[in-house]
Amino acid sequence: MGYVLGVDFGTSGVRAILVDEAKTPVWQIRVPLEQQTPAAWWMGLSTVLDQISEDWREGLRAIALNGTSGTVLLCDDRGQPISDTLLYNDSRANSVSPEVKQRVPPHHPAASSTSSFSKLIWFRQQSSLPPNTYFLHQADWLSFRLHGKLGISDYHNSLKLGYDPQSLRYPDWIPQDTPRLPEVVAPGTAIGTVTPDISQRFHLPRHCRVHAGTTDSIAAFLASGAHQPGDAVTSLGSTLVLKLLSCQRVDDGRYGVYSHRLGNLWLTGGASNTGGAVLQRFFSEAELQELSDRLPRGPSSLEYYPLLQPGERFPINDPNYPPQLDPKPDNSLEFLHGLLDSMARIEAEGYERLQNLGATELQRVYTAGGGAKNFAWMRLREVRLGVPVTRSLETEAAYGTALLALRSSLNSP
């Protein structure tokens, strides 16, 4: 029996899942992260590897990792970090927005002030960089620590660096002198086996392969069970995030819509500012549970646009779009029904927007995030969406990352 390890580096901790050849999780662990530094990442990964039992360790065939999108650092030619780590939400690159706007095509995902590309330009403006300085994403650096081949990334992490996953190259507007940009391969590609030092340190088989990783959000999609064109995943967290698997690539910066490549398909999506954070303003967890059990099955007569503050990005793009939360009935059940049904309406409008932009027609929706526990809400959403709605098969991004490596590793000699 062979096993594959998927590791998810999130904002508060490291989650790892070991799966067998039948895609069944056999072991998992969570390790908290006290800091977001390379040293803390490595300590977290080391703890994961140390905790795998000897029996599973002997059958470990492959490892793949995901990281937070846009978390980057600079390394020297030995892979030693030589810069601050700029996290996915680091805003220091706001200062280089004029140069970014000059270089990046309008509405490109790399134009964001928190994109990998903006951080690349920020690093270049700080000081003269030594030759053979490498620019790496979080998952790139952690994978390097295992396989020893410096400067390799995947086209999910590199999308917001500007890499074109359709032509499979960096466009001409990206400076490629210093720092050195990573070579980009398809997510899940076998890069190499673990180094002799890693094999000895963690008692791993020398034939254990390290595969190119992905981002945390893509890994969560892969974990859901969605795999056919028209399959989608809605993440019902503090905000509402939609991802639809499409035969066509869809990009439209006006609505924050862009596409990741998944083999020969495209994962297109957008994110609304509505979501669970609005519900938490008005209801406790206990109230949500008790009231949801009594929700009517049909649509509400109330039509809201639930936002915490003005501004919407998708499916409407209006930075001043006002919250609409009136009239508020005295009956709490009626109010919650109106909120949940309005969010379901916005979700349906979001998928309609993606389809109007050219994405494949919606066929089925998997549900992730805290809202996936609310079956009454899923019934409301099914009415609005007009397609089957179900919970994701697995919710852990580490599981989706393991599947990336599983697809090829267990068929390898």
Side-chain angles (χ1 to χ4, degrees), residues 364-392:
R364 176 172 50 179
V365 175
Y366 293 87
T367 308
K373 302 172 185 176
N374 192 323
F375 289 99
W377 192 6
M378 282 203 282
R379 290 196 302 267
L380 287 175
R381 293 169 51 230
E382 198 165 54
V383 172
R384 289 284 188 178
L385 292 165
V387 299
V389 175
T390 186
R391 291 184 65 177
S392 294

Side-chain angles (χ1 to χ4, degrees), residues 141-360:
W141 183 79
L142 286 162
S143 297
F144 154 73
R145 290 296 305 265
L146 298 178
H147 58 60
K149 298 180 179 181
L150 186 61
I152 299 178
S153 188
D154 63 89
Y155 54 58
H156 291 163
N157 274 290
S158 298
L159 181 72
K160 293 184 182 179
L161 180 54
Y163 185 83
D164 185 349
Q166 192 156 19
S167 62
L168 300 177
R169 66 178 185 86
Y170 287 109
D172 295 339
W173 47 264
I174 300 181
Q176 298 187 50
D177 46 3
T178 303
R180 296 177 63 172
L181 302 185
E183 172 191 351
V184 180
V185 300
T189 299
I191 299 173
T193 57
V194 294
T195 66
D197 286 347
I198 292 296
S199 175
Q200 183 176 13
R201 162 68 179 81
F202 297 105
H203 308 287
L204 301 179
R206 280 290 293 118
H207 61 261
C208 177
R209 289 182 172 89
V210 182
H211 291 245
T214 181
T215 65
D216 51 352
S217 64
I218 303 297
F221 179 91
L222 296 173
S224 70
H227 64 283
Q228 295 180 342
D231 283 354
V233 173
T234 297
S235 295
L236 301 173
S238 58
T239 60
L240 184 70
V241 181
L242 314 184
K243 293 185 182 296
L244 173 61
L245 198 55
S246 173
C247 295
Q248 293 78 36
R249 180 180 183 178
V250 174
D251 296 288
D252 194 320
R254 294 174 300 168
Y255 302 103
V257 172
Y258 57 89
S259 297
H260 279 281
R261 184 171 182 168
L262 280 180
N264 294 321
L265 299 174
W266 296 93
L267 185 58
T268 184
S272 168
N273 290 334
T274 194
V278 181
L279 301 176
Q280 290 172 355
R281 169 179 285 186
F282 298 104
F283 302 97
S284 68
E285 287 296 324
E287 288 172 328
L288 283 172
Q289 178 63 54
E290 191 273 328
L291 292 171
S292 293
D293 290 342
R294 298 191 282 122
L295 278 176
R297 288 180 174 269
S300 169
S301 61
L302 298 168
E303 187 165 318
Y304 299 134
Y305 207 104
L307 298 171
L308 288 178
Q309 59 191 21
E312 178 61 305
R313 45 188 172 158
F314 174 86
I316 296 169
N317 178 21
D318 182 349
N320 300 309
Y321 198 80
Q324 298 171 23
L325 294 166
D326 292 319
K328 182 180 177 182
D330 294 332
N331 185 304
S332 295
L333 178 61
E334 187 179 350
F335 183 45
L336 178 61
H337 184 207
L339 291 174
L340 293 179
D341 188 50
S342 294
M343 291 180 189
R345 186 195 73 247
I346 294 167
E347 179 185 1
E349 291 170 353
Y351 283 118
E352 183 178 4
R353 174 74 70 188
L354 295 177
Q355 291 166 99
N356 289 341
L357 292 172
T360 296

Side-chain angles (χ1 to χ4, degrees), residues 1-286:
M1 177 69 74
Y3 301 98
V4 170
L5 180 70
V7 188
D8 166 40
F9 279 80
T11 55
S12 61
V14 185
R15 294 182 183 270
I17 293 180
L18 197 68
V19 302
D20 63 18
E21 298 174 35
K23 303 182 182 179
T24 302
V26 297
W27 174 82
Q28 53 187 296
I29 189 174
R30 184 186 184 280
V31 179
L33 281 177
E34 300 299 330
Q35 296 178 301
Q36 285 287 345
T37 64
W41 301 339
W42 179 244
M43 183 176 297
L45 181 56
S46 297
T47 301
V48 167
L49 296 175
D50 279 332
Q51 292 299 313
I52 301 174
S53 75
E54 184 176 348
D55 289 343
W56 287 326
R57 194 186 305 265
E58 291 176 355
L60 188 60
R61 298 284 300 273
I63 303 171
L65 309 100
N66 76 66
T68 49
S69 177
T71 295
V72 299
L73 70 161
L74 297 180
C75 297
D76 62 21
D77 57 5
R78 297 173 299 138
Q80 293 296 315
I82 58 171
S83 73
D84 288 346
T85 298
L86 301 189
L87 300 181
Y88 65 97
N89 59 352
D90 195 296
S91 60
R92 275 177 275 187
N94 279 329
S95 62
V96 299
S97 59
E99 181 176 347
V100 171
K101 288 181 180 178
Q102 286 181 350
R103 288 181 178 270
V104 181
H107 308 307
H108 194 286
S112 164
S113 62
T114 57
S115 70
S116 301
F117 180 79
S118 292
K119 291 163 183 168
L120 169 71
I121 299 302
W122 186 85
F123 276 132
R124 285 168 57 89
Q125 288 194 2
Q126 297 316 296
S127 61
S128 57
L129 299 174
N132 293 325
T133 297
Y134 286 78
F135 180 90
L136 298 176
H137 301 90
Q138 180 185 34
D140 308 341
W141 183 79
L142 286 162
S143 297
F144 154 73
R145 290 296 305 265
L146 298 178
H147 58 60
K149 298 180 179 181
L150 186 61
I152 299 178
S153 188
D154 63 89
Y155 54 58
H156 291 163
N157 274 290
S158 298
L159 181 72
K160 293 184 182 179
L161 180 54
Y163 185 83
D164 185 349
Q166 192 156 19
S167 62
L168 300 177
R169 66 178 185 86
Y170 287 109
D172 295 339
W173 47 264
I174 300 181
Q176 298 187 50
D177 46 3
T178 303
R180 296 177 63 172
L181 302 185
E183 172 191 351
V184 180
V185 300
T189 299
I191 299 173
T193 57
V194 294
T195 66
D197 286 347
I198 292 296
S199 175
Q200 183 176 13
R201 162 68 179 81
F202 297 105
H203 308 287
L204 301 179
R206 280 290 293 118
H207 61 261
C208 177
R209 289 182 172 89
V210 182
H211 291 245
T214 181
T215 65
D216 51 352
S217 64
I218 303 297
F221 179 91
L222 296 173
S224 70
H227 64 283
Q228 295 180 342
D231 283 354
V233 173
T234 297
S235 295
L236 301 173
S238 58
T239 60
L240 184 70
V241 181
L242 314 184
K243 293 185 182 296
L244 173 61
L245 198 55
S246 173
C247 295
Q248 293 78 36
R249 180 180 183 178
V250 174
D251 296 288
D252 194 320
R254 294 174 300 168
Y255 302 103
V257 172
Y258 57 89
S259 297
H260 279 281
R261 184 171 182 168
L262 280 180
N264 294 321
L265 299 174
W266 296 93
L267 185 58
T268 184
S272 168
N273 290 334
T274 194
V278 181
L279 301 176
Q280 290 172 355
R281 169 179 285 186
F282 298 104
F283 302 97
S284 68
E285 287 296 324

